[in-house]
Amino acid sequence: MENKTFYITTPIYYPSDKLHIGHTYCTVATDAMARYKRLTGYDVMFLTGTDEHGQKIEDKAKEAGVTPKEFVDRIVEGNRGILDLWKLMNISNDRFIRTTDEYHVKAIQRIFRRMYDKGDIYKGTYKGKYCKPCESFWTESQLVDGKCPDCGREVQDAEEEAYFFRASKYAQRVCDLLTGTDFLQPASRVNEMVNNFIQCEGGLQDLCVSRTSFTWGIPVDFDDKHVVYVWLDALFNYMTALGLENDAHHDLDKYWPADVHFVGKEIVRFHAIYWPAFLMSLDLPLPKHVYGHGWLVMDGGKMSKSKGNVVDPYILAERFGVDALRFFLLRTFPFGSDGNFSNELLINTINVDLANDLGNLVSRSTAMVEKYFGGTLPKTGVAESVDDELLTMAKALRGKYEAQMEKYQFQSALEEIFKVIARANKYIDETAPWVLAKDESRRDRLATLLFNLLETVRICTVLLTPFIPESCDKIFEQIGATACERTWESAEVFGVLHDGVSVRKGDAIFPRIDAAAELKELEALEGAAKNVGTPAVELEPYATESVDFDTFCKSDFRAVKVKSCEAVKKSEKLLRFTLDDGSGTDRQILSGIHKFYEPEQLVGKTLLAIINLPPRKMMGLESCGMLISAVHKESGEEKLHLVMLDDAIPAGAKMC
Ligand code: MSP
């Protein structure tokens, strides 16, 4: 009989920079799930890859003075690049797709044409706001505080001829999919999607699926001024990698539909709305599940290179070991919610769970078999009631673990294992084998007791394999488990270890870490790594287009004096200024600069404003103009300074 199949994917990562611990988190979770399914007997296809097109990459390559392909090659294949990182982290992906792979490029062109021929893609004009880092278009009403709703950064005005995908046609079917099935998980993410994007004012909007403002993308083959929108290009990776519209692979029938796409919460929108709509357009089966996991954050904020708060997985894996890092990521944070990363937490988890609880259980058990039985343990079967609780827990463990793993609740699955490990450590203290060892007549009982410990270790180790595969191999070696004593089936039965099992005591698998010393060293290492190659000051790119002099002269820049300033309620960023602009009537301007200034710092200052921009509403308040600031980045961090004028300049003085 053919094996049951399981197809699981990570998002494909942007190779615009080195990946950080947040990306590693998602890939490690997917790897644990893939390994778990293999363990339980599934024929697994685990896909990951890189999403290599788009304006951001084109810009980065330009900055670096290389072609976009050279740029991405370096980040994907170069020394300590993405492929190296996944190898280091012991990621067991079966396939790796790059969206610049020839077969994918050709397949996307065919897919785009099929949707166009069907009438689901049509030509129109795009007018609205554009967020460059997210490569997303937005309408004014979708902006939050005038900024990109996904990443909170500034957006630009955009107008271009473009192709659109008729998402509106599929709105009802997508809505039914989200509200009537368990397609999107955790279920708590459903309302946000439906309320914000489908049952919102105007309903689900058609999606702009081509670009003409840059060239680093897959050309629309029947209109090559356009390149395919990076998200349409990227989402289909899940199927081109199996052979959709190409001959490079032939596994579509076998593995599609995917069992689950693991994706971060900010890209759930693309996976839960547009991806199914694209597939509906092509009459293709939909993936069974999309799981939107939380972010690893630092001090409450998402890690990002531009904030300069990224954590380098290489440093951590090299210092603490790959398995310790893998374990920490899945043991500490519930997969569906955000988790606050810190080095303290990492070291504490390693010391408590791995060094103390698991490590000690293994080393105490094997040491006692060695000491009291010369390393080879007879199977004697002298049970006592003190064994009952441990045996009951160990026997029930696989079922409990499986229930959590099937829901992608890695933290809870590990929690079940560690409850049994804690119980086993307590069992050693309760039964005091060292006392029994002094009594020759209790030898058989002592052997049973130690057997129970090795059995518990064995069952826990089988179930830990998806998380810490290399360490589990070492533990199996130490407790002398044969191949058939390491299987999924064997984890359901207590008493599987063979008579005369030989232990091999080895080095501690998870040495204890001196937290204080280690934290100090880590800080120094991370500081040094942050500074490598990061210019102290980064400037915005210089304009390449000129404005004519008349247009420039129409801009009315004036000196304004701050009469009052306050934070706008419910907005993290906006400050509301009441300004004297010399006209005799107060002027109100809103500015998203709260991150940089407290209102009381600014009262009485003389600032520079442009006053003849059309008024704009933000958070229900009208803003009549814009305050001028100087912006740059320093060691990756955004900096902003309001332009402050000499207080001798009167309100209303024109700048020319
Ligand atoms: N290229 C798109 C995905 C296309 S999938 C068809 C993309 N790339 S990304 O590199 O920006 O992000 C890839 C994944 O990494 C996302 O799921 C994102 O949520 C995840 N993470 C990035 N930073 C993260 C954290 N700090 N924490 C957890 N996951 C995070 O989006």
Side-chain angles (χ1 to χ4, degrees), residues 11-14 20 22-23 25-26 51 231 234-235 237-238 263-267 271 293-296 302-303:
I12 50 173
Y13 300 94
Y14 289 129
H20 56 66
H23 305 112
Y25 174 51
C26 178
D51 183 1
W231 272 100
L235 284 162
N237 91 86
Y238 301 130
V263 302
K265 63 179 185 180
E266 86 284 20
I267 58 170
H271 286 82
H293 65 77
W295 286 341
L296 284 196
K302 192 185 177 209
M303 277 176 212

Side-chain angles (χ1 to χ4, degrees), residues 12 50 125 128 257 294 300 427 446 455 571 610:
I12 50 173
T50 41
T125 306
Y427 176 76
L446 178 63
E455 258 309 85
S571 165
I610 174 166

